[in-house]
Amino acid sequence: MEGNVFTVALVGILIPIVAIVGGLIIAGLSMHQRARLRELAYRERIAMIEKGLMPPPETDPQAFESAAFRRETAPVDSFSMYRAVKFRTAGLILMGIGFGLMVLITFAGDQPGAGIGVGGAIALLGFAFNSIFPQMGTQLELRAFTVMVVGGMGSIPGAVIGAYVLGLGEVTALTVSSELRDAFVFGLLFATLVLRPHGLLGTRSVERV
Amino acid sequence: MDVVGELFRAYSTLLAGVATSALLALSIWVTLYAGQLTLGNAAFMGVGAYVAALLTLRAQWPFQAALLAGTLAAAAIAFPLGATVFRLRGVYLAIATLAFGEMVRVAILAIPMTGRGQGLNGIPPKAELWHVWLSLVVVGYALARVRTSTVGRAWAAIREDEIAAGAQGIAVRRYKLAAFVLGAAIAGWAGALDAHLNFSIDPGLYGFARAVQILVFTVVGGVPNVLGPIFGAGLLTALPELLRPLKDLRDVFQGLILLLVIVYLPRGLVTLAELRRTRRLARIGQADVA
Protein backbone atom coordinates (compact mmCIF):
# COMPACT_ATOMS: atom_id res chain seq x y z
CA MET A 1 0.00 0.00 0.00
CA GLU A 2 2.99 2.30 0.67
CA GLY A 3 3.99 2.23 -2.97
CA ASN A 4 0.43 2.94 -4.09
CA VAL A 5 0.15 6.07 -1.96
CA PHE A 6 3.57 7.18 -3.16
CA THR A 7 2.57 6.74 -6.80
CA VAL A 8 -0.64 8.68 -6.35
CA ALA A 9 1.24 11.47 -4.58
CA LEU A 10 3.81 11.57 -7.37
CA VAL A 11 1.09 11.79 -10.00
CA GLY A 12 -0.63 14.40 -7.86
CA ILE A 13 2.49 16.53 -8.22
CA LEU A 14 3.08 15.66 -11.87
CA ILE A 15 -0.41 16.54 -13.05
CA PRO A 16 -0.29 20.14 -11.81
CA ILE A 17 3.15 20.58 -13.39
CA VAL A 18 1.96 19.26 -16.74
CA ALA A 19 -1.19 21.36 -16.43
CA ILE A 20 0.83 24.49 -15.66
CA VAL A 21 3.28 24.09 -18.51
CA GLY A 22 0.73 22.96 -21.07
CA GLY A 23 -1.82 25.53 -19.99
CA LEU A 24 0.75 28.31 -20.13
CA ILE A 25 1.91 27.42 -23.61
CA ILE A 26 -1.53 26.97 -25.10
CA ALA A 27 -3.23 29.86 -23.34
CA GLY A 28 -0.30 32.17 -23.93
CA LEU A 29 -0.16 31.35 -27.61
CA SER A 30 -3.86 31.64 -28.28
CA MET A 31 -4.54 34.63 -26.06
CA HIS A 32 -1.59 36.53 -27.40
CA GLN A 33 -2.65 35.89 -30.96
CA ARG A 34 -6.25 36.83 -30.28
CA ALA A 35 -5.22 39.91 -28.35
CA ARG A 36 -2.93 40.91 -31.20
CA LEU A 37 -5.74 40.62 -33.75
CA ARG A 38 -8.04 42.64 -31.55
CA GLU A 39 -5.40 45.26 -30.94
CA LEU A 40 -4.90 45.52 -34.70
CA ALA A 41 -8.59 46.11 -35.23
CA TYR A 42 -8.58 48.91 -32.68
CA ARG A 43 -5.41 50.44 -34.06
CA GLU A 44 -7.07 50.55 -37.42
CA ARG A 45 -10.02 52.39 -35.93
CA ILE A 46 -7.76 54.85 -34.14
CA ALA A 47 -5.82 55.44 -37.33
CA MET A 48 -9.07 56.14 -39.15
CA ILE A 49 -10.16 58.65 -36.52
CA GLU A 50 -6.80 60.40 -36.72
CA LYS A 51 -7.20 60.71 -40.47
CA GLY A 52 -10.59 62.29 -39.90
CA LEU A 53 -12.53 59.30 -41.20
CA MET A 54 -15.56 57.77 -39.56
CA PRO A 55 -14.80 54.21 -38.41
CA PRO A 56 -17.49 51.58 -38.94
CA PRO A 57 -19.76 50.95 -35.93
CA GLU A 58 -18.24 48.86 -33.20
CA THR A 59 -19.34 45.25 -33.32
CA ASP A 60 -17.47 43.94 -30.32
CA PRO A 61 -20.22 42.66 -28.01
CA GLN A 62 -18.11 43.14 -24.92
CA ALA A 63 -17.95 46.86 -25.57
CA PHE A 64 -21.67 46.95 -24.87
CA GLU A 65 -21.35 45.67 -21.35
CA SER A 66 -21.13 49.22 -20.15
CA ALA A 67 -23.03 48.60 -16.91
CA ALA A 68 -20.08 46.57 -15.73
CA PHE A 69 -17.69 49.02 -17.37
CA ARG A 70 -18.85 51.87 -15.17
CA ARG A 71 -17.56 50.02 -12.14
CA GLU A 72 -14.20 49.48 -13.80
CA THR A 73 -13.35 52.93 -15.10
CA ALA A 74 -10.41 53.53 -12.77
CA PRO A 75 -7.68 50.95 -13.42
CA VAL A 76 -5.38 51.17 -10.40
CA ASP A 77 -3.88 47.76 -9.73
CA SER A 78 -3.02 45.06 -12.23
CA PHE A 79 -6.20 43.11 -11.73
CA SER A 80 -8.54 45.96 -12.51
CA MET A 81 -6.24 46.75 -15.41
CA TYR A 82 -6.94 43.25 -16.64
CA ARG A 83 -10.66 43.86 -16.35
CA ALA A 84 -10.22 47.13 -18.16
CA VAL A 85 -8.71 45.11 -21.01
CA LYS A 86 -12.02 43.35 -21.29
CA PHE A 87 -14.14 46.45 -21.25
CA ARG A 88 -12.24 49.19 -23.05
CA THR A 89 -9.49 48.02 -25.34
CA ALA A 90 -9.19 51.25 -27.29
CA GLY A 91 -8.93 53.37 -24.17
CA LEU A 92 -6.23 51.15 -22.80
CA ILE A 93 -4.15 51.37 -25.97
CA LEU A 94 -4.51 55.16 -25.93
CA MET A 95 -3.23 55.17 -22.35
CA GLY A 96 -0.16 53.31 -23.51
CA ILE A 97 -0.81 49.99 -21.83
CA GLY A 98 0.44 47.08 -23.91
CA PHE A 99 -2.69 45.09 -24.49
CA GLY A 100 -1.23 41.78 -25.66
CA LEU A 101 1.38 41.76 -22.91
CA MET A 102 -1.22 42.56 -20.25
CA VAL A 103 -3.40 39.63 -21.29
CA LEU A 104 -0.37 37.37 -21.42
CA ILE A 105 0.69 38.36 -17.89
CA THR A 106 -2.80 37.78 -16.51
CA PHE A 107 -2.94 34.38 -18.07
CA ALA A 108 0.51 33.53 -16.77
CA GLY A 109 -0.85 34.24 -13.31
CA ASP A 110 -4.09 32.49 -14.00
CA GLN A 111 -3.09 29.16 -15.47
CA PRO A 112 -0.79 27.85 -12.70
CA GLY A 113 -3.58 28.67 -10.24
CA ALA A 114 -6.07 26.63 -12.22
CA GLY A 115 -3.46 23.93 -12.75
CA ILE A 116 -2.71 23.59 -9.05
CA GLY A 117 -6.42 23.70 -8.20
CA VAL A 118 -7.40 21.05 -10.72
CA GLY A 119 -4.32 18.92 -10.06
CA GLY A 120 -4.93 19.08 -6.32
CA ALA A 121 -8.59 18.13 -6.72
CA ILE A 122 -7.68 15.23 -9.00
CA ALA A 123 -5.01 14.02 -6.58
CA LEU A 124 -7.53 14.09 -3.72
CA LEU A 125 -9.99 12.16 -5.88
CA GLY A 126 -7.27 9.62 -6.62
CA PHE A 127 -6.72 9.15 -2.88
CA ALA A 128 -10.46 8.86 -2.26
CA PHE A 129 -11.18 6.22 -4.91
CA ASN A 130 -7.79 4.49 -5.08
CA SER A 131 -7.58 4.85 -8.84
CA ILE A 132 -6.73 7.39 -11.46
CA PHE A 133 -7.18 7.28 -15.20
CA PRO A 134 -6.81 9.77 -18.06
CA GLN A 135 -10.56 10.24 -18.53
CA MET A 136 -11.42 10.84 -14.89
CA GLY A 137 -11.98 14.53 -15.52
CA THR A 138 -14.68 14.19 -18.14
CA GLN A 139 -17.46 13.22 -15.75
CA LEU A 140 -16.63 16.23 -13.61
CA GLU A 141 -16.44 18.72 -16.46
CA LEU A 142 -20.16 19.15 -16.93
CA ARG A 143 -20.79 19.04 -13.18
CA ALA A 144 -18.34 21.88 -12.68
CA PHE A 145 -20.26 23.81 -15.33
CA THR A 146 -23.51 23.14 -13.51
CA VAL A 147 -22.09 24.25 -10.17
CA MET A 148 -20.86 27.47 -11.72
CA VAL A 149 -24.16 28.27 -13.40
CA VAL A 150 -26.31 27.36 -10.38
CA GLY A 151 -24.17 29.42 -8.02
CA GLY A 152 -23.83 32.32 -10.40
CA MET A 153 -20.91 33.05 -12.70
CA GLY A 154 -18.12 35.03 -11.09
CA SER A 155 -19.31 34.47 -7.51
CA ILE A 156 -17.05 32.42 -5.24
CA PRO A 157 -19.62 31.86 -2.41
CA GLY A 158 -22.07 30.97 -5.19
CA ALA A 159 -19.73 28.24 -6.42
CA VAL A 160 -19.56 26.69 -2.94
CA ILE A 161 -23.34 26.84 -2.44
CA GLY A 162 -23.91 25.52 -5.97
CA ALA A 163 -21.58 22.59 -5.25
CA TYR A 164 -23.56 21.68 -2.13
CA VAL A 165 -26.91 21.99 -3.92
CA LEU A 166 -25.68 19.79 -6.76
CA GLY A 167 -23.90 17.20 -4.61
CA LEU A 168 -26.70 16.75 -2.07
CA GLY A 169 -29.37 16.79 -4.77
CA GLU A 170 -27.48 14.21 -6.80
CA VAL A 171 -27.21 11.83 -3.86
CA THR A 172 -30.90 12.33 -3.02
CA ALA A 173 -31.83 11.58 -6.64
CA LEU A 174 -29.65 8.48 -6.46
CA THR A 175 -31.80 7.04 -3.66
CA VAL A 176 -34.81 7.09 -6.01
CA SER A 177 -33.21 5.66 -9.15
CA SER A 178 -29.72 5.51 -10.60
CA GLU A 179 -30.84 7.00 -13.91
CA LEU A 180 -32.29 9.97 -12.10
CA ARG A 181 -28.81 11.05 -11.05
CA ASP A 182 -27.67 12.39 -14.42
CA ALA A 183 -31.20 13.57 -15.15
CA PHE A 184 -31.07 15.65 -11.97
CA VAL A 185 -27.74 17.28 -12.85
CA PHE A 186 -28.80 18.36 -16.32
CA GLY A 187 -32.36 19.14 -15.31
CA LEU A 188 -31.00 21.46 -12.63
CA LEU A 189 -28.64 23.08 -15.13
CA PHE A 190 -31.40 23.59 -17.67
CA ALA A 191 -33.95 24.84 -15.13
CA THR A 192 -31.49 27.34 -13.67
CA LEU A 193 -30.63 28.72 -17.09
CA VAL A 194 -34.25 29.12 -18.10
CA LEU A 195 -35.66 30.39 -14.80
CA ARG A 196 -32.76 32.26 -13.23
CA PRO A 197 -29.94 32.70 -15.79
CA HIS A 198 -27.71 34.70 -13.43
CA GLY A 199 -27.71 31.90 -10.86
CA LEU A 200 -28.25 32.08 -7.10
CA LEU A 201 -25.71 34.76 -6.24
CA GLY A 202 -24.60 36.16 -9.60
CA THR A 203 -25.42 39.69 -10.66
CA ARG A 204 -27.87 40.30 -13.44
CA SER A 205 -26.08 41.88 -16.37
CA VAL A 206 -27.87 44.87 -17.80
CA GLU A 207 -27.65 45.43 -21.52
CA ARG A 208 -27.17 48.99 -22.67
CA VAL A 209 -26.58 50.46 -26.06
CA MET B 1 -10.43 -5.87 -61.67
CA ASP B 2 -10.52 -2.15 -61.76
CA VAL B 3 -8.34 -0.48 -59.19
CA VAL B 4 -10.60 2.53 -58.78
CA GLY B 5 -13.61 0.42 -57.87
CA GLU B 6 -11.53 -1.57 -55.40
CA LEU B 7 -10.23 1.56 -53.73
CA PHE B 8 -13.72 3.01 -53.65
CA ARG B 9 -15.09 -0.03 -51.86
CA ALA B 10 -12.20 -0.14 -49.41
CA TYR B 11 -12.72 3.47 -48.40
CA SER B 12 -16.51 3.64 -48.68
CA THR B 13 -16.92 3.79 -44.89
CA LEU B 14 -14.53 6.71 -44.70
CA LEU B 15 -16.24 8.45 -47.64
CA ALA B 16 -19.63 8.05 -45.99
CA GLY B 17 -18.17 9.28 -42.72
CA VAL B 18 -16.83 12.40 -44.40
CA ALA B 19 -20.24 13.20 -45.90
CA THR B 20 -22.20 12.67 -42.67
CA SER B 21 -19.65 14.74 -40.76
CA ALA B 22 -20.01 17.48 -43.36
CA LEU B 23 -23.81 17.38 -43.04
CA LEU B 24 -23.53 17.68 -39.27
CA ALA B 25 -21.03 20.52 -39.60
CA LEU B 26 -23.50 22.30 -41.91
CA SER B 27 -26.24 21.80 -39.33
CA ILE B 28 -24.30 23.73 -36.69
CA TRP B 29 -23.10 26.24 -39.28
CA VAL B 30 -26.66 27.56 -39.65
CA THR B 31 -26.84 28.71 -36.04
CA LEU B 32 -23.21 29.84 -35.96
CA TYR B 33 -23.81 31.98 -39.03
CA ALA B 34 -26.61 33.68 -37.12
CA GLY B 35 -24.11 34.25 -34.29
CA GLN B 36 -25.66 31.76 -31.88
CA LEU B 37 -23.47 29.14 -30.22
CA THR B 38 -25.64 26.08 -29.64
CA LEU B 39 -24.39 22.60 -28.81
CA GLY B 40 -27.56 20.54 -29.22
CA ASN B 41 -26.81 19.15 -32.68
CA ALA B 42 -25.44 15.82 -31.46
CA ALA B 43 -28.69 15.30 -29.56
CA PHE B 44 -30.79 16.17 -32.62
CA MET B 45 -28.71 13.72 -34.60
CA GLY B 46 -29.48 11.14 -31.94
CA VAL B 47 -33.20 11.92 -32.05
CA GLY B 48 -33.22 11.55 -35.85
CA ALA B 49 -31.22 8.33 -35.68
CA TYR B 50 -33.35 6.72 -32.97
CA VAL B 51 -36.72 7.71 -34.43
CA ALA B 52 -35.78 6.52 -37.93
CA ALA B 53 -34.11 3.32 -36.73
CA LEU B 54 -37.02 2.39 -34.45
CA LEU B 55 -39.47 2.94 -37.28
CA THR B 56 -37.62 0.76 -39.79
CA LEU B 57 -36.62 -1.84 -37.21
CA ARG B 58 -39.79 -2.23 -35.12
CA ALA B 59 -42.61 -0.82 -37.28
CA GLN B 60 -41.24 -1.91 -40.68
CA TRP B 61 -41.72 1.53 -42.13
CA PRO B 62 -40.21 2.16 -45.56
CA PHE B 63 -36.77 3.76 -45.40
CA GLN B 64 -37.77 7.07 -47.04
CA ALA B 65 -40.69 7.61 -44.65
CA ALA B 66 -38.50 6.79 -41.65
CA LEU B 67 -35.86 9.28 -42.81
CA LEU B 68 -38.48 11.98 -43.11
CA ALA B 69 -39.97 11.09 -39.72
CA GLY B 70 -36.55 11.27 -38.04
CA THR B 71 -35.91 14.69 -39.57
CA LEU B 72 -39.33 16.01 -38.55
CA ALA B 73 -38.96 14.61 -35.03
CA ALA B 74 -35.69 16.50 -34.55
CA ALA B 75 -37.26 19.70 -35.88
CA ALA B 76 -40.38 19.21 -33.74
CA ILE B 77 -38.25 18.96 -30.59
CA ALA B 78 -36.09 21.90 -31.62
CA PHE B 79 -39.06 24.25 -31.99
CA PRO B 80 -40.27 24.43 -28.36
CA LEU B 81 -36.69 24.11 -27.10
CA GLY B 82 -35.57 27.05 -29.22
CA ALA B 83 -38.55 29.12 -28.10
CA THR B 84 -37.49 28.63 -24.44
CA VAL B 85 -33.75 28.73 -24.78
CA PHE B 86 -33.25 31.74 -27.04
CA ARG B 87 -33.85 34.10 -24.14
CA LEU B 88 -30.25 33.25 -23.31
CA ARG B 89 -27.09 34.47 -25.00
CA GLY B 90 -23.48 33.46 -25.49
CA VAL B 91 -22.06 30.92 -23.09
CA TYR B 92 -25.38 30.47 -21.31
CA LEU B 93 -27.07 29.47 -24.55
CA ALA B 94 -24.28 26.97 -25.26
CA ILE B 95 -24.55 25.46 -21.77
CA ALA B 96 -28.36 25.24 -21.92
CA THR B 97 -28.32 23.40 -25.25
CA LEU B 98 -25.55 21.17 -23.93
CA ALA B 99 -27.71 20.33 -20.91
CA PHE B 100 -30.56 19.51 -23.29
CA GLY B 101 -28.24 17.18 -25.20
CA GLU B 102 -27.31 15.32 -22.04
CA MET B 103 -30.99 15.10 -21.07
CA VAL B 104 -31.72 13.41 -24.41
CA ARG B 105 -28.94 10.92 -23.73
CA VAL B 106 -30.27 10.18 -20.24
CA ALA B 107 -33.80 9.81 -21.65
CA ILE B 108 -32.59 7.27 -24.23
CA LEU B 109 -30.86 5.36 -21.45
CA ALA B 110 -34.05 5.33 -19.36
CA ILE B 111 -36.62 4.28 -21.99
CA PRO B 112 -36.70 0.46 -22.44
CA MET B 113 -37.87 0.63 -26.09
CA THR B 114 -34.54 2.16 -27.20
CA GLY B 115 -32.49 -0.76 -25.96
CA ARG B 116 -31.00 1.50 -23.25
CA GLY B 117 -27.22 1.27 -22.96
CA GLN B 118 -26.93 -1.53 -25.50
CA GLY B 119 -28.45 0.61 -28.20
CA LEU B 120 -30.15 -0.68 -31.33
CA ASN B 121 -28.50 -3.32 -33.46
CA GLY B 122 -29.30 -4.87 -36.82
CA ILE B 123 -30.81 -1.73 -38.33
CA PRO B 124 -31.60 -2.52 -41.99
CA PRO B 125 -28.68 -1.17 -44.11
CA LYS B 126 -30.88 0.82 -46.47
CA ALA B 127 -28.73 3.92 -46.83
CA GLU B 128 -26.09 3.97 -49.54
CA LEU B 129 -23.07 6.11 -50.17
CA TRP B 130 -24.74 8.20 -52.86
CA HIS B 131 -27.67 9.02 -50.57
CA VAL B 132 -25.34 10.77 -48.15
CA TRP B 133 -23.34 12.57 -50.82
CA LEU B 134 -26.48 13.66 -52.66
CA SER B 135 -27.89 15.02 -49.38
CA LEU B 136 -24.65 16.89 -48.78
CA VAL B 137 -24.72 18.47 -52.23
CA VAL B 138 -28.40 19.43 -51.94
CA VAL B 139 -28.10 20.81 -48.39
CA GLY B 140 -24.83 22.62 -49.21
CA TYR B 141 -26.29 24.22 -52.32
CA ALA B 142 -29.53 25.18 -50.56
CA LEU B 143 -27.65 26.76 -47.65
CA ALA B 144 -25.33 28.62 -50.03
CA ARG B 145 -28.40 30.10 -51.71
CA VAL B 146 -30.05 30.88 -48.37
CA ARG B 147 -26.88 32.65 -47.22
CA THR B 148 -27.14 35.27 -49.93
CA SER B 149 -30.92 35.63 -49.59
CA THR B 150 -32.90 37.95 -47.30
CA VAL B 151 -32.87 35.29 -44.60
CA GLY B 152 -29.10 34.86 -44.78
CA ARG B 153 -28.51 38.60 -44.58
CA ALA B 154 -30.86 38.81 -41.61
CA TRP B 155 -28.81 36.10 -39.88
CA ALA B 156 -25.59 37.98 -40.61
CA ALA B 157 -27.11 41.19 -39.25
CA ILE B 158 -28.17 39.40 -36.05
CA ARG B 159 -24.66 37.98 -35.71
CA GLU B 160 -23.00 41.37 -36.06
CA ASP B 161 -25.32 43.26 -33.72
CA GLU B 162 -28.58 41.97 -32.38
CA ILE B 163 -29.87 45.30 -31.13
CA ALA B 164 -29.10 47.10 -34.37
CA ALA B 165 -30.72 44.27 -36.32
CA GLY B 166 -33.84 44.55 -34.18
CA ALA B 167 -33.89 48.30 -34.70
CA GLN B 168 -33.75 47.72 -38.47
CA GLY B 169 -36.99 45.78 -38.24
CA ILE B 170 -35.58 42.24 -38.34
CA ALA B 171 -37.63 39.82 -36.24
CA VAL B 172 -34.60 38.65 -34.25
CA ARG B 173 -36.27 35.91 -32.20
CA ARG B 174 -38.05 34.45 -35.21
CA TYR B 175 -34.91 34.31 -37.37
CA LYS B 176 -32.87 32.76 -34.56
CA LEU B 177 -35.55 30.15 -34.01
CA ALA B 178 -35.70 29.42 -37.75
CA ALA B 179 -31.92 28.89 -37.85
CA PHE B 180 -32.11 26.59 -34.84
CA VAL B 181 -34.95 24.45 -36.23
CA LEU B 182 -33.33 24.24 -39.67
CA GLY B 183 -30.03 23.14 -38.08
CA ALA B 184 -31.85 20.53 -35.99
CA ALA B 185 -33.63 19.17 -39.08
CA ILE B 186 -30.34 18.80 -40.97
CA ALA B 187 -28.76 17.08 -37.95
CA GLY B 188 -31.77 14.75 -37.67
CA TRP B 189 -31.50 13.88 -41.36
CA ALA B 190 -27.78 13.17 -41.00
CA GLY B 191 -28.43 11.03 -37.91
CA ALA B 192 -31.14 8.99 -39.65
CA LEU B 193 -28.86 8.36 -42.64
CA ASP B 194 -25.93 7.51 -40.39
CA ALA B 195 -28.00 4.96 -38.42
CA HIS B 196 -28.91 3.14 -41.64
CA LEU B 197 -25.31 3.20 -42.83
CA ASN B 198 -23.77 1.73 -39.70
CA PHE B 199 -26.49 -0.79 -38.72
CA SER B 200 -25.94 -0.09 -35.02
CA ILE B 201 -26.41 2.89 -32.72
CA ASP B 202 -26.04 3.51 -29.01
CA PRO B 203 -26.58 6.54 -26.75
CA GLY B 204 -22.84 7.08 -26.26
CA LEU B 205 -22.54 8.18 -29.90
CA TYR B 206 -24.62 11.30 -29.30
CA GLY B 207 -23.05 12.71 -26.15
CA PHE B 208 -20.86 15.63 -25.23
CA ALA B 209 -17.87 14.42 -27.26
CA ARG B 210 -19.87 14.33 -30.49
CA ALA B 211 -21.35 17.78 -29.81
CA VAL B 212 -17.87 19.25 -29.42
CA GLN B 213 -16.59 17.37 -32.45
CA ILE B 214 -19.31 18.85 -34.66
CA LEU B 215 -18.49 22.32 -33.40
CA VAL B 216 -14.78 21.77 -34.05
CA PHE B 217 -15.48 20.73 -37.68
CA THR B 218 -17.21 24.02 -38.36
CA VAL B 219 -14.87 26.25 -36.38
CA VAL B 220 -11.76 24.79 -38.02
CA GLY B 221 -13.32 24.98 -41.47
CA GLY B 222 -14.64 28.50 -40.98
CA VAL B 223 -18.03 30.11 -40.62
CA PRO B 224 -17.85 32.84 -43.33
CA ASN B 225 -19.26 30.55 -46.02
CA VAL B 226 -20.77 27.13 -46.65
CA LEU B 227 -17.54 25.57 -47.89
CA GLY B 228 -15.91 26.06 -44.48
CA PRO B 229 -17.79 23.38 -42.54
CA ILE B 230 -17.53 20.94 -45.48
CA PHE B 231 -13.73 21.42 -45.67
CA GLY B 232 -13.37 21.23 -41.90
CA ALA B 233 -15.40 18.04 -41.61
CA GLY B 234 -13.62 16.46 -44.56
CA LEU B 235 -10.18 17.32 -43.23
CA LEU B 236 -10.82 16.25 -39.65
CA THR B 237 -12.56 13.02 -40.63
CA ALA B 238 -9.86 12.04 -43.09
CA LEU B 239 -6.92 13.28 -41.02
CA PRO B 240 -6.76 10.24 -38.71
CA GLU B 241 -6.44 8.08 -41.84
CA LEU B 242 -3.82 10.34 -43.44
CA LEU B 243 -1.76 10.41 -40.25
CA ARG B 244 -1.81 6.64 -39.88
CA PRO B 245 1.95 6.27 -40.61
CA LEU B 246 2.69 8.27 -37.45
CA LYS B 247 1.26 5.42 -35.34
CA ASP B 248 1.07 6.37 -31.66
CA LEU B 249 1.89 10.00 -32.25
CA ARG B 250 -1.20 10.38 -34.43
CA ASP B 251 -3.40 12.01 -31.83
CA VAL B 252 -0.64 14.37 -30.78
CA PHE B 253 -0.18 15.56 -34.36
CA GLN B 254 -3.89 15.89 -34.93
CA GLY B 255 -4.16 18.02 -31.79
CA LEU B 256 -1.22 20.11 -32.93
CA ILE B 257 -2.77 20.77 -36.33
CA LEU B 258 -6.04 21.78 -34.66
CA LEU B 259 -4.23 24.10 -32.29
CA LEU B 260 -2.26 25.81 -35.05
CA VAL B 261 -5.36 26.33 -37.18
CA ILE B 262 -7.34 27.81 -34.29
CA VAL B 263 -4.52 30.06 -33.09
CA TYR B 264 -3.37 31.39 -36.45
CA LEU B 265 -6.61 31.20 -38.45
CA PRO B 266 -9.24 31.99 -35.83
CA ARG B 267 -11.93 32.42 -38.47
CA GLY B 268 -11.23 29.04 -40.05
CA LEU B 269 -9.40 27.47 -42.95
CA VAL B 270 -11.46 29.29 -45.57
CA THR B 271 -9.97 32.59 -44.41
CA LEU B 272 -6.47 31.50 -45.43
CA ALA B 273 -6.53 34.13 -48.19
CA GLU B 274 -7.17 36.90 -45.68
CA LEU B 275 -3.92 36.28 -43.82
CA ARG B 276 -2.03 38.71 -46.01
CA ARG B 277 -4.62 41.38 -45.38
CA THR B 278 -4.11 40.98 -41.64
CA ARG B 279 -0.36 41.44 -42.08
CA ARG B 280 -0.93 44.57 -44.14
CA LEU B 281 -3.22 45.90 -41.40
CA ALA B 282 -0.47 45.26 -38.89
CA ARG B 283 1.95 47.42 -40.86
CA ILE B 284 -0.54 50.24 -41.35
CA GLY B 285 -1.42 50.13 -37.67
CA GLN B 286 2.19 50.36 -36.52
CA ALA B 287 3.00 53.18 -38.92
CA ASP B 288 0.01 55.21 -37.83
CA VAL B 289 0.18 54.69 -34.10
CA ALA B 290 3.93 54.96 -33.68
Side-chain angles (χ1 to χ4, degrees):
Chain A
M1 280 330 275
E2 272 312 300
N4 193 13
V5 170
F6 178 73
T7 318
V8 174
L10 188 72
V11 175
I13 298 164
L14 271 178
I15 290 173
I17 292 174
V18 173
I20 291 165
V21 176
L24 258 180
I25 294 171
I26 295 169
L29 213 62
S30 69
M31 286 311 289
H32 186 73
Q33 179 68 10
R34 204 182 306 164
R36 205 179 63 90
L37 284 179
R38 206 158 144 202
E39 191 177 340
L40 281 181
Y42 277 102
R43 283 210 167 134
E44 191 190 23
R45 292 172 66 83
I46 292 166
M48 281 181 86
I49 294 168
E50 281 174 348
K51 282 179 190 157
L53 298 169
M54 181 74 180
E58 193 153 25
T59 51
D60 186 355
Q62 283 176 343
F64 288 112
E65 294 177 18
S66 32
F69 169 58
R70 269 185 299 159
R71 282 189 276 118
E72 316 291 348
T73 34
V76 273
D77 58 309
S78 64
F79 189 63
S80 52
M81 216 145 86
Y82 165 61
R83 282 184 290 186
V85 168
K86 183 179 169 192
F87 295 119
R88 269 290 179 267
T89 317
L92 214 63
I93 294 167
L94 286 174
M95 283 166 69
I97 298 169
F99 178 58
L101 190 70
M102 196 60 230
V103 174
L104 198 62
I105 289 170
T106 325
F107 253 76
D110 204 36
Q111 289 295 306
I116 290 166
V118 171
I122 293 281
L124 281 177
L125 269 179
F127 277 123
F129 295 115
N130 270 330
S131 80
I132 54 167
F133 47 95
Q135 281 85 28
M136 65 192 293
T138 47
Q139 306 157 352
L140 296 170
E141 233 164 28
L142 280 169
R143 281 176 174 72
F145 253 147
T146 313
V147 166
M148 190 180 66
V149 169
V150 171
M153 254 187 217
S155 160
I156 294 171
V160 176
I161 293 171
Y164 273 105
V165 169
L166 183 81
L168 294 176
E170 224 180 314
V171 176
T172 315
L174 203 56
T175 59
V176 183
S177 133
S178 62
E179 280 137 9
L180 216 61
R181 183 181 178 170
D182 278 349
F184 174 79
V185 176
F186 302 115
L188 182 69
L189 178 57
F190 195 76
T192 312
L193 281 170
V194 172
L195 301 174
R196 200 178 159 83
H198 51 288
L200 288 174
L201 297 181
T203 43
R204 202 186 285 264
S205 64
V206 184
E207 190 159 351
R208 287 182 46 192
V209 187
Chain B
M1 284 308 292
D2 56 332
V3 183
V4 179
E6 199 79 342
L7 246 162
F8 198 67
R9 259 188 298 283
Y11 283 100
S12 70
T13 326
L14 182 65
L15 286 172
V18 167
T20 34
S21 299
L23 271 176
L24 289 166
L26 282 175
S27 80
I28 207 171
W29 174 86
V30 183
T31 39
L32 279 180
Y33 192 72
Q36 310 301 312
L37 176 58
T38 62
L39 289 171
N41 294 52
F44 292 128
M45 180 198 180
V47 169
Y50 266 93
V51 168
L54 280 173
L55 285 175
T56 47
L57 200 63
R58 301 272 156 84
Q60 271 79 42
W61 276 35
F63 174 54
Q64 295 87 340
L67 261 185
L68 207 62
T71 311
L72 289 179
I77 290 178
F79 189 78
L81 178 72
T84 346
V85 131
F86 272 119
R87 306 194 310 171
L88 304 166
R89 290 218 181 105
V91 203
Y92 292 102
L93 179 63
I95 298 174
T97 44
L98 194 62
F100 162 75
E102 289 299 305
M103 277 152 75
V104 167
R105 197 175 58 83
V106 171
I108 293 173
L109 280 174
I111 302 169
M113 196 175 64
T114 59
R116 300 201 171 184
Q118 291 189 331
L120 293 172
N121 294 300
I123 302 164
K126 298 274 179 57
E128 283 175 37
L129 194 54
W130 67 268
H131 290 157
V132 202
W133 279 93
L134 183 67
S135 317
L136 177 60
V137 170
V138 170
V139 170
Y141 178 73
L143 287 182
R145 292 302 299 266
V146 166
R147 193 179 79 93
T148 50
S149 72
T150 325
V151 180
R153 273 181 285 164
W155 284 340
I158 293 168
R159 179 189 64 216
E160 293 302 326
D161 192 328
E162 227 169 82
I163 299 165
Q168 295 274 334
I170 294 169
V172 175
R173 286 282 288 271
R174 215 177 286 175
Y175 275 106
K176 282 204 261 182
L177 190 58
F180 189 61
V181 174
L182 181 62
I186 298 171
W189 179 266
L193 276 175
D194 186 55
H196 290 86
L197 271 170
N198 294 333
F199 330 135
S200 149
I201 52 178
D202 69 83
L205 288 175
Y206 311 112
F208 181 53
R210 177 58 73 98
V212 173
Q213 194 189 24
I214 296 172
L215 180 68
V216 168
F217 287 156
T218 307
V219 169
V220 166
V223 184
N225 62 44
V226 177
L227 286 177
I230 298 175
F231 273 143
L235 180 74
L236 291 180
T237 315
L239 205 57
E241 292 301 319
L242 297 176
L243 293 180
R244 204 168 271 283
L246 292 169
K247 300 205 176 82
D248 287 347
L249 284 174
R250 195 165 70 165
D251 287 351
V252 177
F253 268 84
Q254 190 171 2
L256 202 66
I257 291 172
L258 260 182
L259 193 67
L260 289 177
V261 168
I262 288 171
V263 168
Y264 288 103
L265 285 171
R267 292 179 62 226
L269 281 175
V270 284
T271 58
L272 203 64
E274 285 176 31
L275 258 188
R276 288 187 56 201
R277 193 177 153 264
T278 323
R279 295 242 169 77
R280 194 175 58 84
L281 273 182
R283 279 203 301 277
I284 296 172
Q286 272 158 5
D288 273 338
V289 175

